[in-house]
Amino acid sequence: MFRRIRRRTKQPSEAQRQFAELHARLQNQVPPGFGVPLAEAERTEPTTVVDDFLPPELRVPSHDQLDGKMMPWKQALVLDGEMVACAACGAYRDWLILSTRDQIWLRCRAGHQQQETRLDTAWYNRNSGPADATHPTFEDCLRHLGH
């Protein structure tokens, strides 16, 4: 029984035989157009160079042009197993989180602000979404966010 299997495996299969025939036929053939010099390209008028593809009203300022960023945080903020509360009024949800000069500030609905040293810019970047608008003043941004 094992001798028959060994005899069968020594001979090439039908697929291997067909591949060998195809390889022999295609050997030393050159694709059409290979080695032929290219025809001279038609001369076209140079196109105008544009500095950027976005119109100015759609451009987002870079990080060095912004004084800071802010985002709303509706739910309670828990850090190190402790719920963060406003030091002035005791509010513990509906925060406005401000990221400016590598500092994180929390602003409650009543307008009290406190610095949160347990948060950093990396945390802010992980938890904030893409910016949907930029505003010239802090008050305009507060109106946009509903504060």
Side-chain angles (χ1 to χ4, degrees), residues 5-24:
I5 292 173
R6 283 189 204 130
R7 267 187 264 144
R8 262 191 255 150
T9 58
K10 287 183 181 179
Q11 298 172 353
S13 69
E14 181 64 24
Q16 290 172 331
R17 191 186 57 72
Q18 288 176 358
F19 178 76
E21 289 174 7
L22 179 65
H23 178 53

Side-chain angles (χ1 to χ4, degrees), residues 26-36:
L26 294 178
Q27 199 162 1
N28 297 327
Q29 287 189 358
V30 178
F34 186 76
V36 178

Side-chain angles (χ1 to χ4, degrees), residues 80-128:
D80 301 328
E82 178 185 327
M83 189 177 321
V84 179
C86 178
C89 66
Y92 62 92
R93 64 175 67 190
D94 200 15
W95 294 104
L96 188 64
I97 301 178
L98 305 132
S99 172
T100 179
R101 297 185 197 99
D102 292 328
Q103 296 176 342
I104 302 295
W105 292 82
L106 303 177
R107 182 183 173 111
C108 71
R109 179 63 80 168
H112 307 119
Q113 288 185 181
Q114 63 192 38
Q115 184 178 5
E116 184 51 68
T117 56
R118 293 176 286 183
L119 299 177
D120 58 0
T121 306
W123 178 91
Y124 181 89
N125 291 336
R126 281 191 310 269
N127 291 284
S128 67

Side-chain angles (χ1 to χ4, degrees), residues 33-90:
F34 186 76
V36 178
L38 297 174
E40 185 147 337
E42 295 180 20
R43 300 206 179 250
T44 59
E45 294 181 24
T47 58
T48 58
V49 177
V50 180
D51 64 341
D52 200 357
F53 66 94
L54 288 174
E57 62 271 7
L58 294 179
R59 296 179 191 161
V60 177
S62 65
H63 293 289
D64 59 336
Q65 295 172 330
L66 295 174
D67 288 332
K69 298 184 281 185
M70 63 178 67
M71 71 173 171
W73 192 270
K74 300 289 184 189
Q75 66 269 21
L77 186 62
V78 179
L79 301 174
D80 301 328
E82 178 185 327
M83 189 177 321
V84 179
C86 178
C89 66

